[in-house]
Amino acid sequence: MIYPKTFHEKTRNRVIARKFMKKLAFFLFCLPLLSFAQDILQLASDGKTGYVIVQGAKSIPAEEFAAAELSSLLNRITGAVFPIQQEVPGQAPPDKAIFIGQTDFAVRLLPDIAAATPDQWFIRSAGEHLVLSGGRPRGTLYAVYEFLEQELGCRWFDQHNEIIPKRTDLSIKPIDKSGEPWFRERHIYTALPDTPAYQLFRTRLKDTRPKPAKYGFGCSLGTHTAWTYSRNFPADKPEYLAMNANGERPPSTSGQGPGQICLTHPGAREHVLEQLRQRIRKNHQEAEAASDGREAQRVFAINQNDTHFICHCPTCQALSEQQQADSGAQVDFINFLADQIKAEFPDVLLETWAYSNTIKPPAEIRPRENVQIRVIQLNGEWSSDARGKKNWAPEWYPDLFRPRSHPVNRQALELLLQWSRISHHLGIWGYWLQYNTSFPSPYINIRNIHQELKLYKDCKVTSIFIENEGAETTSFFALKNWIGWKLMQNPDQELQPLINTFLEGYYGQAADTMLEYLNFLEDSIAAVPVEVGNLSALKETRRHYLTPAFFLETTQMLDKAEAKCPPDSPELLNVRRERIPVDGALYAMWGLLNNQLPEHQKLPWNQADIRKRYEQYRLEQMQKRAAPGNAESLEKHLQKLDETATANLNCHIVPPPHYGKQNLLANADFSEGLSKWQKLTDSEQFISPEIDPLAVPPFAGKAALRFTGAAEQRVCFVQNVKIPPGIRNFRLGGWMKTQAFDNSWQAALRVVCSIRSTDGKVSSKTFTAGSTPYQVANTTWSFYGIDFQVDGDIVSASLQLQTSHPSGEKAQQTRPNTGTAWFSGMALEAIMRQ
């Protein structure tokens, strides 16, 4: 007996039958093509081609541009003309064709292409046909550039340097490749002029910043957007604005503030919510109405203005206290908005920032599933902003010069990992350059970038924005950008093959020498002892690798590299570009470097020649590479560089030969306890020291003075020095070390002199050997010294060991220091001028 099939069985069988027929139809379509699957595609022969480029009947601008780019570049490679034609629905394809974009042919060959992500790309051959296609709007562009780079050997290193091979006979093997960049959003900001050539460079390297339709648009990134909402608050609702520490509620006029939003006020929340809904609706309506392939914006940023506080109203502060972090109120605010828009806009993410005072994750509040946290960790040179602040620590500022795995970056790494553990969507705003510099200097962090991007991948980061300005003065600027773009596509790539590809194309015959220099620079930085601390927070003159031996080795390598390049070649211009940070530092540090050499030795160059070459090469880059700046701005820069070089001429960072042999100080080694030394006054404001025999610095005396700070106290320990008459030239020096310095305080060594001029007038003048960096809480033993000259007779002199705040007396009273300072090996001596 045969039983009738159930309804579900019949339905299931019909579905199976339909799938079978679809597969059969696709097989029959491909059958004539598959017979040639192993054939070589001869795209050009003797500078001629039988191929045409076919774009879809309904191509978007980015696909049309991709077809034009492919036609132009194939012509440059082969000399053949590859005409572009439009696909005609229903007609048989040309015998030999390259299909660009979502043509009917491509859709039949790649059935899933309609569901491809915006950046996903496909390269597939079928018989004598080739398909370069992808998701909209950018996937096809990426397919074209991937094909040109990986299959034909084209290279674009920056907007000025490219390699387009010449091959009159061009054939390719059967190919079936696809891919997608690992990070959904990939931005490297360089501050370079946004010229058409630069747009193309970015497009080829898979940048997704906002740009015209033919480049595939991009992803906008809202920056300090809170003010764009608060400026629309009703004038009669000042309570919607954040209260500052003085009880005021200032409005914001830009992303710089000066105000913020009250994050807990119900009225402020509702007002921001309504504005947000209107923005999302408008954006989606514009995307739906457009026919150019644009996407609806997926991420909307509501992030704090660049003024680092949250509202001081009782409710906001209570939430901050409860969550043990200022981010508590920020995340709670963004969670409210996310909850309200989720039903209407399920695909939208709201982004807010973990930045400066909000960098610490909240104790209990967790970001919603439709919230993206962008972690923004400024490097060590900004760490002083956090000194003395609640829920905000200088140790959370990473060292640009070291990988995140380095002990110096332990706390910064843990902070990032904490955010990755609690966030459903994570973004990064990173910094690949040094800010607050006194002069250009050579440094590089390519190896760190590789490790960093792998870390971001492991942390499930999807959006990256990197600041990498300094095109005119930082080392290996183009390499850093190019490597960054490539690794953002796939962080798991091996680094060395990428470096080799770039160096060979960018420096030509000098590639091997430039690789030697690159490795030498990275190795020199890596060899700096961990005890030195965060290099990013130190002045250039205190970076241990910038020694006379370093500059000697570097200059010899760059001389060798220049000699290998043909005259007036792009490669020579690129090598000369790398001399700029080296010569800038060499000129500015000239005196410091000379003063480190053994007696009777000098640097083997002429300082004026170094300055002249620095100026020449800077101008050369402006004229031939369109580097930022002009002759006028360069002249101002050179004036400041001259001032720095002059100030450094008589400075010492290591004890000079015979240091301390003619010391005018008594009991300089503290062998007699504190004899001859005293506090500035008997006031309790000044701290008494202890003799510390266990903290002796290198090459110094038998013991050190240790001062442990306390609130409303500071160090001013002195020795009055008798100066023999007639002496005009002096050397002041000594060793200092600090530990747990709070609130950006410094330790300093100076001498205060009363000087009688030739007309009999007496004036006071202070000469400072040096100060510890206020950005750094812990410093190792470091030598500070200066040679100085007085005009007149010294009536009295007082050598002073100090701790103070660089902002002055008021800051010292309100921002105390409780850290420990050590002083040792001080000397004040007369010297003979040569």
Side-chain angles (χ1 to χ4, degrees), residues 542-705:
R542 291 285 164 180
R543 292 183 190 148
H544 285 52
Y545 67 95
L546 295 179
T547 64
F550 170 87
F551 284 101
L552 182 63
E553 185 81 12
T554 296
T555 301
Q556 289 174 348
M557 283 187 280
L558 291 174
D559 287 344
K560 183 178 176 182
E562 281 198 42
K564 290 183 175 182
C565 297
D568 300 321
S569 65
E571 294 81 8
L572 178 60
L573 194 60
N574 295 338
V575 169
R576 286 180 171 180
R577 164 65 182 72
E578 293 312 311
R579 296 208 88 128
I580 288 173
V582 174
D583 283 349
L586 180 56
Y587 174 69
M589 294 177 64
W590 189 265
L592 279 168
L593 296 168
N594 258 323
N595 292 338
Q596 295 178 53
L597 295 172
E599 194 174 14
H600 306 307
Q601 286 190 22
K602 294 294 181 185
L603 295 173
W605 311 286
N606 180 281
Q607 188 181 17
D609 291 342
I610 299 298
R611 185 192 188 280
K612 182 179 179 181
R613 184 170 64 190
Y614 178 80
E615 180 179 12
Q616 175 191 342
Y617 285 9
R618 285 288 304 273
L619 284 171
E620 185 178 63
Q621 292 295 318
M622 291 177 191
Q623 295 162 358
K624 298 182 180 181
R625 286 284 193 260
N630 52 40
E632 182 180 355
S633 64
L634 179 59
E635 185 59 34
K636 292 179 180 178
H637 167 77
L638 288 170
Q639 290 174 5
K640 292 183 178 179
L641 197 65
D642 290 339
E643 292 171 3
T644 302
T646 300
N648 284 331
L649 278 176
N650 296 314
C651 293
H652 301 268
I653 58 175
V654 300
H658 312 299
Y659 169 75
K661 298 297 184 183
Q662 304 295 325
N663 202 344
L664 298 173
L665 297 176
N667 189 28
D669 61 359
F670 310 111
S671 58
E672 301 175 29
L674 298 180
S675 174
K676 305 298 183 180
W677 295 89
Q678 61 191 25
K679 293 192 293 185
L680 181 66
T681 71
D682 290 332
S683 168
E684 293 301 316
Q685 174 188 2
F686 297 107
I687 304 168
S688 296
E690 299 175 291
I691 299 290
D692 188 345
L694 302 178
V696 180
F699 315 115
K702 298 178 180 178
L705 292 183

Side-chain angles (χ1 to χ4, degrees), residues 250-490:
S252 297
T253 57
S254 72
Q256 304 302 307
Q260 300 279 17
I261 294 174
C262 178
L263 299 171
T264 58
H265 194 287
R269 288 185 167 196
E270 290 293 338
H271 206 282
V272 171
L273 175 62
E274 185 53 35
Q275 292 185 64
L276 175 63
R277 283 188 175 125
Q278 292 176 10
R279 294 185 186 195
I280 298 174
R281 288 169 186 156
K282 181 181 178 183
N283 177 270
H284 285 206
Q285 289 167 2
E286 290 175 348
E288 290 173 4
S291 59
D292 51 11
R294 70 182 64 186
E295 309 163 79
Q297 188 173 328
R298 182 169 181 259
V299 180
F300 287 78
I302 303 181
N303 41 53
Q304 56 268 53
N305 299 324
D306 206 10
T307 175
H308 309 305
F309 76 98
I310 66 160
C311 181
H312 282 251
C313 79
T315 309
C316 287
Q317 286 298 305
L319 192 53
S320 177
E321 289 292 328
Q322 178 193 20
Q323 296 300 314
Q324 303 169 37
D326 282 356
S327 62
Q330 186 76 23
V331 175
D332 189 71
F333 171 74
I334 208 75
N335 279 351
F336 165 80
L337 300 173
D339 288 341
Q340 302 304 310
I341 69 162
K342 186 174 183 179
E344 185 177 358
F345 308 108
D347 296 327
V348 166
L349 297 180
L350 296 188
E351 176 178 294
T352 201
W353 288 354
Y355 174 51
S356 293
N357 63 302
T358 60
I359 192 68
K360 181 183 178 184
E364 298 172 344
I365 296 175
R366 297 294 178 258
R368 295 288 193 266
E369 290 186 12
N370 55 334
V371 167
Q372 175 167 287
I373 299 296
R374 189 175 294 274
V375 179
I376 304 177
Q377 291 181 293
L378 290 158
N379 291 314
E381 64 265 37
W382 301 100
S383 61
S384 60
D385 291 346
R387 300 213 176 280
K389 306 290 179 58
K390 184 171 55 178
N391 298 321
W392 189 9
E395 292 74 25
W396 298 343
Y397 288 73
D399 185 356
L400 166 74
F401 293 80
R402 269 75 170 260
R404 291 297 173 93
S405 59
H406 193 277
V408 170
N409 287 328
R410 180 179 57 82
Q411 292 191 43
L413 172 61
E414 178 55 31
L415 207 66
L416 172 63
L417 295 177
Q418 288 176 24
W419 279 111
S420 73
R421 286 192 285 266
I422 69 172
S423 302
H424 298 276
H425 305 277
L426 199 63
I428 290 292
W429 187 310
Y431 303 87
W432 288 354
L433 78 160
Q434 182 80 42
Y435 291 97
N436 291 347
T437 56
S438 303
F439 49 84
S441 64
Y443 66 88
I444 192 60
N445 55 338
I446 295 292
R447 297 172 191 168
N448 298 353
I449 287 171
H450 189 210
Q451 291 191 29
E452 194 172 299
L453 290 172
K454 282 196 204 179
L455 170 66
Y456 295 157
K457 174 179 176 287
D458 293 340
C459 289
K460 305 297 191 295
V461 169
T462 56
S463 177
I464 297 181
F465 180 89
I466 298 295
E467 285 195 47
N468 190 39
E469 301 96 311
E472 66 275 31
T473 55
T474 59
S475 298
F476 291 103
F477 174 80
L479 171 63
K480 192 160 35 170
N481 282 313
W482 191 83
I483 289 288
W485 292 129
K486 294 301 179 187
L487 291 175
M488 284 182 186
Q489 297 167 49
N490 176 13

